[in-house]
Amino acid sequence: MRIVIAGGHGQIALRLERLLAARGDEAVGLIRKPEQADDLRQLGAEPVVLDLESASVEEVAERLAGADAAVFAAGAGPGSGAARKETVDKAAAILFADAAVRAGVRRFLIVSSMGADPSHQGDEVFDVYLRAKGEADEYIRNLDGLDWTILRPGRLTNDPGTGLVRLEAHTGRGSIPRDDVAAVLAELLDTPATAGLTLELISGKVPVSVAVKSVAGG
């Protein structure tokens, strides 16, 4: 498969690109800075410089042309203010989804956040973040042109992945290594029957492949 990943230099995306390249898929990472390109090449991924905060739908659709799937793994990051939650976590996700529809790329995964809710109240940066992620999720759910899956991990850590997770519509609070988030994304890409699902993800006791098959009805 050819898979285009927005936020291609992000911590989850880099892990996903390594997994995809290792199994023989074509991983294409959209990055903002040319100096990030070598990091992707070293993982076996193809870097494409494109800033989703300034690109048009047409420009993004051109990069998506011919892909089998698209993954939105971009984020403004923990040090950013409220404004970039709106321009990256919400607007860039919507732009990427619209571009996927235009390019005819039906399979679409988005890395959201546990607690994302378009009606979330509050004015703190994290409140704006949860609202922005929720609004992006809601927009994507309403696009008929996408076979979407929304993944909402718990608190992300850099601990080594265990390969054991809890993946359900509602898991309750918990943490999850970024390694395991990437592994679940790779498995979701191989499991089209998970389209139309919004899933929460934390560490658990079930192997990734079994957890994904379970939510897919297998």
Side-chain angles (χ1 to χ4, degrees):
M1 288 195 296
R2 180 175 175 85
I3 299 145
V4 178
I5 303 164
H9 198 261
Q11 295 188 68
I12 290 172
L14 289 170
R15 289 165 167 83
L16 176 59
E17 287 153 4
R18 181 187 294 112
L19 291 175
L20 295 176
R23 73 184 197 185
D25 287 325
E26 288 182 60
V28 180
L30 303 185
I31 55 177
R32 287 192 304 125
K33 301 174 182 177
E35 58 267 29
Q36 296 171 335
D38 282 346
D39 291 340
L40 272 68
R41 291 191 189 100
Q42 288 171 10
L43 300 174
E46 174 190 336
V48 172
V49 179
L50 184 70
D51 187 347
L52 293 177
E53 288 180 272
S54 59
S56 67
V57 173
E58 291 79 7
E59 288 171 327
V60 181
E62 285 177 13
R63 306 307 195 280
L64 282 162
D68 298 292
V71 180
F72 187 83
S80 60
R84 292 203 73 227
K85 307 303 184 192
E86 290 287 337
T87 59
V88 179
D89 294 292
K90 177 184 172 181
I94 288 172
L95 172 75
F96 195 59
D98 284 341
V101 172
R102 183 165 300 197
V105 181
R106 291 201 62 91
R107 189 69 176 116
F108 191 93
L109 306 186
I110 180 167
V111 181
S112 183
S113 175
M114 194 173 289
D117 182 349
S119 59
H120 183 86
Q121 299 297 306
D123 299 315
E124 298 296 320
V125 172
F126 193 64
D127 296 322
V128 175
Y129 169 75
L130 290 177
R131 194 159 52 244
K133 296 295 277 188
E135 288 169 346
D137 292 353
E138 192 66 21
Y139 184 88
I140 286 160
R141 284 195 189 102
N142 289 307
L143 287 176
D144 292 336
L146 295 181
D147 297 326
W148 52 264
T149 303
I150 297 168
L151 184 64
R152 292 178 165 176
R155 185 177 60 84
L156 298 169
T157 75
N158 286 325
D159 296 336
T162 65
L164 299 173
V165 301
R166 184 176 177 189
L167 180 71
E168 299 168 13
H170 301 287
T171 61
R173 296 284 172 178
S175 60
I176 182 81
R178 288 177 172 88
D179 286 350
D180 289 333
V181 177
V184 168
L185 288 169
E187 195 72 28
L188 288 171
L189 286 166
D190 276 349
T191 315
T194 56
L197 299 180
T198 300
L199 301 166
E200 294 184 350
L201 174 66
I202 58 175
S203 292
K205 299 178 180 178
V206 180
V208 167
S209 61
V210 176
V212 172
K213 284 186 178 66
S214 178
V215 296

